């Protein structure tokens, strides 16, 4: 009985994780988020002093 509850919990968590990753993949949300963050990251990176060779 207890193993069944644990197994069903693992199956549910795995299914939810799969659905979330599929939604992220289908709508290309990772690259959309990266595009939103990129200007902020670029400003910070451009402020860093770089060595000239």
């Amino acid at each position: 009985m207890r193993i069944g509850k644990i197994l069903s919990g693992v199956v549910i968590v795995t299914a939810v994780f799969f659905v979330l990753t599929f939604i992220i993949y289908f709508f290309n949300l990772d690259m959309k988020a990266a595009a939103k963050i990129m200007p902020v990251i670029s400003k910070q990176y451009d402020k860093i002093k770089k060595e000239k060779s």
Side-chain angles (χ1 to χ4, degrees):
M1 190 71 171
R2 188 173 183 140
I3 293 174
K5 283 186 177 182
I6 293 172
L7 187 60
S8 66
V10 169
V11 169
I12 291 171
V13 169
T14 304
V16 169
F17 182 73
F18 175 76
V19 169
L20 287 175
T21 56
F22 181 76
I23 290 170
I24 290 169
Y25 170 76
F26 187 78
F27 292 108
N28 201 18
L29 296 178
D30 55 339
M31 294 311 295
K32 289 178 183 178
K36 298 273 186 191
I37 295 171
M38 204 58 177
V40 176
I41 293 173
S42 294
K43 284 182 194 175
Q44 182 66 27
Y45 182 74
D46 290 341
K47 289 180 185 177
I48 297 173
K49 299 245 180 194
K50 298 169 188 78
E51 290 184 21
K52 295 180 181 178
S53 54

